[in-house]
CSV table of all heavy atoms in Angstrom, one decimal:
chain,number,residue,atom,x,y,z
A,1,TRP,N,-4.4,4.7,4.4
A,1,TRP,CA,-3.7,3.7,5.1
A,1,TRP,C,-4.3,3.7,6.5
A,1,TRP,O,-4.0,4.6,7.3
A,1,TRP,CB,-2.2,4.0,5.2
A,1,TRP,CG,-1.4,2.9,5.7
A,1,TRP,CD1,-1.8,1.7,6.1
A,1,TRP,CD2,0.1,3.0,5.9
A,1,TRP,NE1,-0.7,0.9,6.5
A,1,TRP,CE2,0.4,1.7,6.4
A,1,TRP,CE3,1.0,3.9,5.7
A,1,TRP,CZ2,1.7,1.4,6.7
A,1,TRP,CZ3,2.3,3.6,6.0
A,1,TRP,CH2,2.7,2.4,6.5
A,2,GLU,N,-5.2,2.8,6.8
A,2,GLU,CA,-6.1,2.9,8.0
A,2,GLU,C,-5.3,2.9,9.3
A,2,GLU,O,-5.7,3.6,10.2
A,2,GLU,CB,-7.1,1.7,8.0
A,2,GLU,CG,-8.1,1.8,6.8
A,2,GLU,CD,-9.1,0.7,6.9
A,2,GLU,OE1,-9.0,-0.2,7.8
A,2,GLU,OE2,-10.0,0.7,6.0
A,3,ILE,N,-4.2,2.2,9.4
A,3,ILE,CA,-3.4,2.2,10.6
A,3,ILE,C,-2.9,3.6,10.9
A,3,ILE,O,-2.7,4.0,12.1
A,3,ILE,CB,-2.3,1.2,10.5
A,3,ILE,CG1,-1.7,0.9,11.9
A,3,ILE,CG2,-1.2,1.7,9.5
A,3,ILE,CD1,-0.7,-0.2,11.9
A,4,VAL,N,-2.7,4.5,9.9
A,4,VAL,CA,-2.3,5.9,10.1
A,4,VAL,C,-3.6,6.8,10.2
A,4,VAL,O,-3.7,7.6,11.1
A,4,VAL,CB,-1.4,6.3,9.0
A,4,VAL,CG1,-1.1,7.8,9.1
A,4,VAL,CG2,-0.1,5.5,9.0
A,5,ALA,N,-4.5,6.6,9.2
A,5,ALA,CA,-5.6,7.5,9.1
A,5,ALA,C,-6.5,7.5,10.4
A,5,ALA,O,-6.9,8.5,10.9
A,5,ALA,CB,-6.4,7.2,7.9
A,6,GLU,N,-6.8,6.3,10.9
A,6,GLU,CA,-7.7,6.2,12.0
A,6,GLU,C,-7.0,6.6,13.3
A,6,GLU,O,-7.7,6.9,14.3
A,6,GLU,CB,-8.3,4.8,12.0
A,6,GLU,CG,-9.2,4.5,10.8
A,6,GLU,CD,-9.8,3.1,10.9
A,6,GLU,OE1,-9.4,2.3,11.8
A,6,GLU,OE2,-10.6,2.8,10.0
A,7,ALA,N,-5.7,6.5,13.4
A,7,ALA,CA,-5.0,6.8,14.6
A,7,ALA,C,-4.6,8.3,14.7
A,7,ALA,O,-4.2,8.8,15.8
A,7,ALA,CB,-3.7,6.0,14.7
A,8,THR,N,-4.8,9.0,13.6
A,8,THR,CA,-4.5,10.5,13.6
A,8,THR,C,-5.6,11.2,14.4
A,8,THR,O,-6.7,10.7,14.5
A,8,THR,CB,-4.5,11.0,12.1
A,8,THR,OG1,-3.5,10.3,11.4
A,8,THR,CG2,-4.2,12.5,12.1
A,9,ARG,N,-5.2,12.3,15.1
A,9,ARG,CA,-6.2,13.1,15.8
A,9,ARG,C,-6.3,14.5,15.3
A,9,ARG,O,-5.3,15.2,15.4
A,9,ARG,CB,-5.8,13.1,17.3
A,9,ARG,CG,-6.0,11.7,17.9
A,9,ARG,CD,-7.5,11.3,18.0
A,9,ARG,NE,-7.7,9.9,18.4
A,9,ARG,CZ,-7.9,8.9,17.7
A,9,ARG,NH1,-7.8,9.0,16.4
A,9,ARG,NH2,-8.1,7.7,18.2
A,10,PRO,N,-7.4,14.9,14.7
A,10,PRO,CA,-8.6,14.1,14.5
A,10,PRO,C,-8.4,13.0,13.4
A,10,PRO,O,-7.4,13.2,12.6
A,10,PRO,CB,-9.6,15.1,14.1
A,10,PRO,CG,-8.8,16.2,13.4
A,10,PRO,CD,-7.6,16.3,14.2
A,11,PRO,N,-9.2,12.0,13.3
A,11,PRO,CA,-9.1,11.0,12.3
A,11,PRO,C,-9.1,11.6,10.9
A,11,PRO,O,-9.8,12.6,10.6
A,11,PRO,CB,-10.3,10.1,12.5
A,11,PRO,CG,-10.6,10.2,14.0
A,11,PRO,CD,-10.3,11.6,14.3
A,12,LEU,N,-8.2,11.0,10.0
A,12,LEU,CA,-7.9,11.7,8.8
A,12,LEU,C,-8.8,11.3,7.6
A,12,LEU,O,-9.0,10.1,7.3
A,12,LEU,CB,-6.4,11.3,8.4
A,12,LEU,CG,-5.9,11.8,7.1
A,12,LEU,CD1,-5.7,13.3,7.1
A,12,LEU,CD2,-4.5,11.2,6.8
A,13,THR,N,-9.4,12.3,7.0
A,13,THR,CA,-10.0,12.0,5.7
A,13,THR,C,-9.0,11.8,4.6
A,13,THR,O,-7.9,12.4,4.6
A,13,THR,CB,-10.8,13.3,5.3
A,13,THR,OG1,-11.9,13.5,6.2
A,13,THR,CG2,-11.4,13.2,3.9
A,14,SER,N,-9.2,10.8,3.8
A,14,SER,CA,-8.2,10.4,2.8
A,14,SER,C,-8.8,9.8,1.6
A,14,SER,O,-9.9,9.4,1.5
A,14,SER,CB,-7.2,9.3,3.5
A,14,SER,OG,-6.1,9.0,2.7
A,15,ILE,N,-7.9,9.7,0.5
A,15,ILE,CA,-8.3,9.2,-0.7
A,15,ILE,C,-7.8,7.7,-0.8
A,15,ILE,O,-6.7,7.4,-0.6
A,15,ILE,CB,-7.6,9.9,-1.9
A,15,ILE,CG1,-8.1,11.4,-1.9
A,15,ILE,CG2,-8.0,9.2,-3.3
A,15,ILE,CD1,-9.5,11.6,-2.1
A,16,ASP,N,-8.8,6.8,-1.0
A,16,ASP,CA,-8.5,5.4,-1.0
A,16,ASP,C,-8.3,4.9,-2.5
A,16,ASP,O,-9.1,5.2,-3.3
A,16,ASP,CB,-9.7,4.6,-0.4
A,16,ASP,CG,-9.3,3.1,-0.1
A,16,ASP,OD1,-8.8,2.5,-1.1
A,16,ASP,OD2,-9.6,2.7,1.0
A,17,MET,N,-7.2,4.3,-2.8
A,17,MET,CA,-6.9,3.8,-4.1
A,17,MET,C,-7.6,2.6,-4.5
A,17,MET,O,-7.4,2.0,-5.6
A,17,MET,CB,-5.4,3.7,-4.3
A,17,MET,CG,-4.6,5.0,-4.2
A,17,MET,SD,-2.9,4.8,-4.6
A,17,MET,CE,-2.3,3.9,-3.1
A,18,ASN,N,-8.4,2.0,-3.6
A,18,ASN,CA,-9.2,0.8,-4.0
A,18,ASN,C,-8.3,-0.3,-4.4
A,18,ASN,O,-8.6,-1.0,-5.5
A,18,ASN,CB,-10.2,1.1,-5.0
A,18,ASN,CG,-11.5,1.8,-4.5
A,18,ASN,OD1,-11.8,1.7,-3.3
A,18,ASN,ND2,-12.1,2.6,-5.3
A,19,LEU,N,-7.2,-0.6,-3.7
A,19,LEU,CA,-6.3,-1.6,-4.1
A,19,LEU,C,-6.9,-3.0,-4.1
A,19,LEU,O,-6.5,-3.8,-5.0
A,19,LEU,CB,-5.0,-1.6,-3.2
A,19,LEU,CG,-4.2,-0.3,-3.3
A,19,LEU,CD1,-3.1,-0.3,-2.2
A,19,LEU,CD2,-3.6,-0.1,-4.7
A,20,ALA,N,-7.8,-3.3,-3.2
A,20,ALA,CA,-8.4,-4.6,-3.3
A,20,ALA,C,-9.2,-4.8,-4.6
A,20,ALA,O,-9.2,-5.9,-5.2
A,20,ALA,CB,-9.3,-4.9,-2.1
A,21,SER,N,-9.9,-3.8,-4.9
A,21,SER,CA,-10.7,-3.8,-6.2
A,21,SER,C,-9.7,-3.9,-7.4
A,21,SER,O,-10.0,-4.6,-8.4
A,21,SER,CB,-11.6,-2.6,-6.4
A,21,SER,OG,-12.5,-2.5,-5.4
A,22,LEU,N,-8.6,-3.2,-7.3
A,22,LEU,CA,-7.6,-3.3,-8.4
A,22,LEU,C,-7.1,-4.7,-8.5
A,22,LEU,O,-6.9,-5.2,-9.6
A,22,LEU,CB,-6.5,-2.3,-8.0
A,22,LEU,CG,-5.4,-2.0,-9.1
A,22,LEU,CD1,-6.0,-1.2,-10.2
A,22,LEU,CD2,-4.2,-1.3,-8.5
A,23,GLY,N,-6.8,-5.3,-7.4
A,23,GLY,CA,-6.3,-6.7,-7.4
A,23,GLY,C,-7.4,-7.7,-7.9
A,23,GLY,O,-7.0,-8.6,-8.7
A,24,ARG,N,-8.6,-7.4,-7.6
A,24,ARG,CA,-9.7,-8.3,-8.1
A,24,ARG,C,-9.8,-8.2,-9.6
A,24,ARG,O,-9.9,-9.2,-10.3
A,24,ARG,CB,-11.0,-7.9,-7.5
A,24,ARG,CG,-12.2,-8.7,-8.0
A,24,ARG,CD,-13.5,-8.4,-7.2
A,24,ARG,NE,-14.6,-9.1,-7.8
A,24,ARG,CZ,-14.9,-10.4,-7.6
A,24,ARG,NH1,-14.1,-11.1,-6.7
A,24,ARG,NH2,-15.9,-11.0,-8.1
A,25,GLU,N,-9.7,-7.0,-10.1
A,25,GLU,CA,-9.8,-6.8,-11.6
A,25,GLU,C,-8.5,-7.4,-12.3
A,25,GLU,O,-8.6,-8.0,-13.3
A,25,GLU,CB,-9.8,-5.3,-11.9
A,25,GLU,CG,-11.1,-4.6,-11.6
A,25,GLU,CD,-12.3,-5.3,-12.3
A,25,GLU,OE1,-12.2,-5.5,-13.5
A,25,GLU,OE2,-13.3,-5.5,-11.6
A,26,ALA,N,-7.4,-7.3,-11.6
A,26,ALA,CA,-6.2,-8.0,-12.2
A,26,ALA,C,-6.3,-9.5,-12.2
A,26,ALA,O,-5.9,-10.1,-13.2
A,26,ALA,CB,-4.9,-7.6,-11.3
A,27,GLY,N,-6.9,-10.0,-11.1
A,27,GLY,CA,-7.1,-11.5,-11.1
A,27,GLY,C,-8.1,-11.9,-12.2
A,27,GLY,O,-7.8,-13.0,-12.8
A,28,LEU,N,-9.1,-11.2,-12.4
A,28,LEU,CA,-10.1,-11.6,-13.4
A,28,LEU,C,-9.5,-11.5,-14.8
A,28,LEU,O,-9.8,-12.3,-15.7
A,28,LEU,CB,-11.4,-10.7,-13.3
A,28,LEU,CG,-12.2,-10.9,-12.0
A,28,LEU,CD1,-13.3,-9.9,-11.9
A,28,LEU,CD2,-12.7,-12.4,-11.9
A,29,ALA,N,-8.7,-10.4,-15.0
A,29,ALA,CA,-8.0,-10.2,-16.3
A,29,ALA,C,-7.1,-11.4,-16.6
A,29,ALA,O,-7.0,-11.9,-17.7
A,29,ALA,CB,-7.3,-8.9,-16.3
A,30,LEU,N,-6.3,-11.8,-15.5
A,30,LEU,CA,-5.4,-12.9,-15.7
A,30,LEU,C,-6.1,-14.2,-16.0
A,30,LEU,O,-5.7,-15.0,-16.9
A,30,LEU,CB,-4.5,-13.0,-14.4
A,30,LEU,CG,-3.5,-14.1,-14.5
A,30,LEU,CD1,-2.4,-13.8,-15.6
A,30,LEU,CD2,-2.8,-14.3,-13.2
A,31,LEU,N,-7.3,-14.4,-15.3
A,31,LEU,CA,-8.0,-15.6,-15.5
A,31,LEU,C,-8.6,-15.7,-16.9
A,31,LEU,O,-8.6,-16.7,-17.6
A,31,LEU,CB,-9.2,-15.7,-14.5
A,31,LEU,CG,-9.9,-17.0,-14.4
A,31,LEU,CD1,-9.0,-18.1,-13.9
A,31,LEU,CD2,-11.1,-16.8,-13.4
A,32,SER,N,-9.0,-14.5,-17.5
A,32,SER,CA,-9.4,-14.5,-18.9
A,32,SER,C,-8.3,-14.9,-19.8
A,32,SER,O,-8.5,-15.6,-20.8
A,32,SER,CB,-10.0,-13.1,-19.2
A,32,SER,OG,-11.1,-12.8,-18.5
A,33,LEU,N,-7.1,-14.3,-19.6
A,33,LEU,CA,-6.0,-14.7,-20.5
A,33,LEU,C,-5.7,-16.2,-20.4
A,33,LEU,O,-5.3,-16.8,-21.4
A,33,LEU,CB,-4.8,-13.8,-20.1
A,33,LEU,CG,-4.9,-12.3,-20.4
A,33,LEU,CD1,-3.7,-11.6,-19.8
A,33,LEU,CD2,-5.0,-12.1,-21.9
A,34,VAL,N,-5.7,-16.7,-19.1
A,34,VAL,CA,-5.4,-18.1,-19.0
A,34,VAL,C,-6.4,-19.0,-19.7
A,34,VAL,O,-6.1,-20.0,-20.3
A,34,VAL,CB,-5.4,-18.5,-17.4
A,34,VAL,CG1,-5.4,-20.0,-17.2
A,34,VAL,CG2,-4.2,-17.8,-16.7
A,35,ASP,N,-7.7,-18.5,-19.7
A,35,ASP,CA,-8.7,-19.3,-20.5
A,35,ASP,C,-8.7,-19.1,-21.9
A,35,ASP,O,-9.6,-19.5,-22.7
A,35,ASP,CB,-10.1,-18.9,-19.9
A,35,ASP,CG,-10.3,-19.5,-18.5
A,35,ASP,OD1,-9.6,-20.4,-18.1
A,35,ASP,OD2,-11.2,-18.9,-17.8
């Protein structure tokens, strides 16, 4: 969560869940079903 991770001192190493990529895959999966 960048608003937290980057404001932490020192800046925080973190695991990113790649939510934008997850959303993109969900959108493509939905488009395939629609087609």
